[in-house]
Amino acid sequence: MSREFAALVRQVNHCRCHRTLLGPDRPHWRPLRDPEPGPDVRVVVLYGDHPDFLRMVRVPNGWHGQGAAAPHPDQTPPEPWTTVGRCWAGSQHPVIDATPTSS
């Protein structure tokens, strides 16, 4: 594969926010396309993000951003499911379940 082609593939598969646009090989959702997961899924993250960085937590009126990258989490209202996978660049990313498991 040429260097130019490899660079083009990276550009096509990645967003300006540097997250992948491809889904993982495990269960995931694309919130703009897929229905909201069942009530057992209480926390989701954009695929590739760590929950401490940015996570969306299910609350009574939607999903609420939390973590180090959440903009003003104490002042931001909950968002609808359809906006959960959107990054600052406006792209829709796959999200995965990050609900803590009980031991």
Side-chain angles (χ1 to χ4, degrees):
M1 175 182 321
S2 73
R3 233 186 279 180
E4 294 83 17
F5 182 72
L8 179 61
V9 168
R10 277 194 300 280
Q11 288 174 357
V12 170
N13 293 334
H14 286 81
C15 177
R16 289 185 309 144
C17 75
H18 302 287
R19 292 179 182 101
T20 182
L21 295 170
L22 303 175
D25 291 334
R26 61 189 239 198
H28 64 280
W29 299 268
R30 294 192 179 267
L32 199 58
R33 178 190 71 193
D34 299 327
E36 193 167 1
D40 290 345
V41 177
R42 298 184 317 274
V43 180
V44 296
V45 296
L46 274 68
Y47 176 56
D49 280 358
H50 190 280
D52 291 342
F53 178 69
L54 182 61
R55 63 192 173 276
M56 297 300 287
V57 178
R58 189 188 297 259
V59 294
N61 294 328
W63 295 83
H64 193 257
Q66 295 180 3
H72 307 287
D74 55 338
Q75 300 172 8
T76 306
E79 299 178 27
W81 170 248
T82 56
T83 65
V84 167
R86 189 171 48 210
C87 70
W88 61 262
S91 296
Q92 289 291 329
H93 295 274
V95 298
I96 58 172
D97 186 0
T99 304
T101 57
S102 53
S103 346

